[in-house]
Amino acid sequence: MHLSLVVVWLGTALVSALDYLGYSGLEHAGARLLADAGIDDTRWQAWLIWGGLLADLLVGMALLFKPVRASYLAALALMSTMTVVGTALQPALWLHPLGPLLKNLPIAAMLWFLLQATPPSSNKALP
């Protein structure tokens, strides 16, 4: 469960970078999504995409190298924030056939489980 979450965050960062740089074959889907939400300024798009990408990368690295309660809380906070922002910008994403926002519900459940299973006082990762 833990490693699948690491793959989600690091994979999202990688795909976002490749998409922004034009190497994903998705034809800048992230920028199009922001433009569809009314954020047409390419400078804002770049800041938002790279900011999200770096946040995903940092959380993914924290989950990989330091899987403690703070890492799970950071992941839960980032996922919740991005879900709220995504909902505000594109509420129709909840109805998208691939479920880009809907799949955050099981991710939240996994993070909550790992958070509860990690001892608060030891600040050590699960084996």
Side-chain angles (χ1 to χ4, degrees):
M1 187 177 341
H2 168 80
L3 288 178
S4 69
L5 292 172
V6 170
V7 170
V8 166
W9 261 274
L10 294 180
T12 301
L14 177 63
V15 169
S16 294
L18 291 174
D19 179 54
Y20 184 81
L21 297 171
Y23 297 118
S24 70
L26 299 174
E27 301 176 23
H28 306 286
R32 274 198 330 273
L33 185 68
L34 291 170
D36 290 346
I39 302 171
D40 296 321
D41 187 326
T42 56
R43 291 170 297 186
W44 273 107
Q45 291 174 356
W47 276 102
L48 291 169
I49 290 168
W50 285 99
L53 182 161
L54 290 173
D56 284 338
L57 181 63
L58 290 173
V59 166
M61 298 299 275
L63 290 172
L64 180 62
F65 294 112
K66 191 112 169 125
V68 295
R69 290 177 62 83
S71 300
Y72 297 127
L73 279 172
L76 191 56
L78 177 61
M79 186 266 324
S80 298
T81 300
M82 289 189 168
T83 301
V84 168
V85 170
T87 300
L89 292 177
Q90 291 283 340
L93 289 176
W94 282 100
L95 303 174
H96 191 282
L98 297 179
L101 293 179
L102 196 58
K103 64 182 65 164
N104 286 348
L105 297 176
I107 290 172
M110 286 191 287
L111 287 166
W112 187 254
F113 173 82
L114 290 167
L115 182 64
Q116 299 306 310
T118 304
S121 59
S122 69
N123 208 26
K124 291 185 181 174
L126 289 173

